[in-house]
Amino acid sequence: MLIDTHGRVATDLRVSLTDRCNLRCTYCMPEEGLRWLSKPDLLTDDEIVRLIDIAVRLLGIAEARFTGGEPLLRPGLVGIIERVAALDPRPQMSLTTNGIGLKRTATALKAAGLDRVNVSLDTLRPDVFRTLTRRDRHQEVLDGIAAARAVGLTPVKVNSVLMPALNDDEAPDLLSWAMEHSYELRFIEQMPLDAQHGWKREAMVTAGDVLASLRTRFDLTPEGNEERGPAPAERWVVNGGPHRVGIIASVTRPFCAACDRTRLTADGQVRTCLFAREETDLRIALRSGAPDEEIARIWRVAMWGKKAASGLDEPSFLQPDRPMSAIGG
Ligand code: SAM
Ligand code: SF4
């Protein structure tokens, strides 16, 4: 198993399949994009499947979540999912995506064995979408979310980040829309992981702000949040049920003590935390012919050193060198 010195066990693997993206969300990437990883630096499809196999067979991973960058841009995505679905034990599989291209691929993803999707959508207003993502592709995202539900990639979770003076007034509208379509809505607090290093704590929309805004229209009752376990989202029952809304308050109410994650970047580095400043290279071991047991050992050692907390609240906190899009959110 992947245990750390604080007694946590990682069972949830986030795999970044690419650092590239077709949007430019202002809280994530600069307008001009970033210097992308070169093809030889990226893990191949075979290498990714091999690492996930090692993770489920030797390290106790039960869940694999594909992310990026934009994972739908990875040409071999359907094939990777198909091969991971055939592993023994088979992990639960989900995809975190911006939804562009999902309308076209949802059926193939479902057939390959994908269980669920999380789609990111911050606004219901096309003009705000254009400002936030610097692209005019709002309808494609809405179509992608609808297609995911239609093919049964459910529950479809929708992730929203609220930004001051842009979409911070939209929480109640987003929740009404999500309830109408039976999507599970979760708000994510903006974190200091943007490539431009523009995050300011005093300027972010907090979980408290989101709750206050939702309560102007809805009655919210906390749902067993004291038992939320490793789930990052605190949940509230809306208007007595059955709908729920989640808030992932990584900054103001961190859940590090219950964290069950390990991360793999698209170039084969293990990260113990989104905010870690150290990485452990598995690609070099893979490419130098290391056997599975040796790769598993390196991964275990990396996770053993996982820090107790993200350190966001410490004066010495330094944003990691890799932005969110290159870590895999
Ligand atoms: N491109 C895909 C997407 O947008 O869903 C997957 C990768 S993206 C990095 C994963 C999630 O991270 C998205 O829900 C996005 O909104 C969120 N995200 C990106 N930058 C963030 C930041 N600085 N703070 C909080 N969430 C962020
Ligand atoms: Fe792309 Fe996702 Fe980052 Fe937006 S949040 S720029 S969709 S990687």
Side-chain angles (χ1 to χ4, degrees):
M1 291 201 295
L2 290 172
I3 309 173
D4 67 39
T5 50
H6 307 280
R8 294 167 298 188
V9 181
T11 54
D12 177 352
L13 168 62
R14 304 265 157 148
V15 185
S16 173
L17 295 178
T18 177
D19 57 334
R20 290 173 193 249
C21 193
N22 40 16
L23 296 183
R24 295 285 183 274
C25 303
T26 48
Y27 49 74
C28 183
M29 260 196 219
E31 176 141 34
E32 64 279 12
L34 295 164
R35 261 188 64 195
W36 312 124
L37 291 167
S38 68
K39 184 117 196 267
D41 282 338
L42 288 177
L43 294 182
T44 63
D45 293 0
D46 286 350
E47 287 170 333
I48 288 169
V49 175
R50 179 166 173 218
L51 287 178
I52 299 175
D53 175 48
I54 291 170
V56 296
R57 224 168 12 84
L58 303 178
L59 298 171
I61 290 297
E63 187 152 5
R65 299 171 189 241
F66 299 106
T67 180
E70 178 40 51
L72 290 176
L73 294 180
R74 175 112 190 178
L77 174 63
V78 170
I80 291 172
I81 290 172
E82 222 160 41
R83 291 168 67 189
V84 173
L87 295 178
D88 185 17
R90 176 205 191 281
Q92 280 286 305
M93 274 186 287
S94 61
L95 180 76
T96 301
T97 171
N98 63 27
I100 292 173
L102 190 55
K103 182 181 177 190
R104 205 179 51 250
T105 46
T107 303
L109 291 168
K110 176 74 182 171
L114 186 68
D115 296 298
R116 290 192 300 97
V117 288
N118 287 10
V119 188
S120 305
L121 177 69
D122 304 328
T123 176
L124 298 171
R125 294 178 285 184
D127 57 321
V128 175
F129 185 91
R130 207 177 310 121
T131 307
L132 261 173
T133 68
R134 305 186 180 101
R135 297 289 185 271
D136 200 1
R137 308 187 76 168
H138 190 238
Q139 191 58 47
E140 290 172 73
V141 179
L142 294 175
D143 292 347
I145 300 175
R149 196 191 58 187
V151 304
L153 289 168
T154 48
V156 174
K157 295 189 182 171
V158 174
N159 294 341
S160 301
V161 176
L162 296 182
M163 298 292 285
L166 266 177
N167 61 341
D168 57 349
D169 57 345
E170 265 197 84
D173 289 344
L174 281 162
L175 182 53
S176 293
W177 167 82
M179 284 164 52
E180 186 187 322
H181 296 276
S182 295
Y183 305 139
E184 264 189 50
L185 181 65
R186 295 124 40 100
F187 292 95
I188 306 179
E189 281 183 341
Q190 187 200 358
M191 295 178 269
L193 288 169
D194 56 313
Q196 314 87 295
H197 291 224
W199 179 89
K200 286 195 185 69
R201 185 166 186 141
E202 60 282 8
M204 62 172 278
V205 179
T206 64
D209 298 334
V210 177
L211 271 178
S213 167
L214 290 175
R215 284 190 159 130
T216 60
R217 198 181 301 170
F218 302 98
D219 176 38
L220 301 181
T221 325
E223 186 197 53
N225 286 339
E226 63 288 347
E227 296 154 15
R228 78 174 154 161
E234 291 179 81
R235 301 212 310 168
W236 282 263
V237 178
V238 186
N239 293 344
H243 296 287
R244 310 276 192 275
V245 63
I247 304 184
I248 303 180
S250 317
V251 178
T252 61
R253 292 209 278 261
F255 39 90
C256 303
C259 180
D260 65 349
R261 294 179 185 179
T262 182
R263 294 172 183 275
L264 190 60
T265 64
D267 55 347
Q269 311 296 308
V270 169
R271 295 180 62 92
T272 57
C273 170
L274 266 179
F275 297 100
R277 295 189 55 79
E278 303 84 32
E279 302 183 336
T280 302
D281 194 347
L282 292 186
R283 189 185 60 189
I284 203 164
L286 273 174
R287 293 188 180 170
S288 60
D292 290 357
E293 205 24 270
E294 173 60 9
I295 291 170
R297 190 192 63 78
I298 299 170
W299 204 330
R300 275 189 210 104
V301 171
M303 291 306 293
W304 183 248
K306 177 168 171 141
K307 295 215 166 81
S310 64
L312 260 176
D313 271 333
E314 288 161 26
S316 58
F317 174 76
L318 273 180
Q319 189 169 332
D321 296 329
R322 277 194 204 246
M324 180 73 128
S325 57
I327 296 170

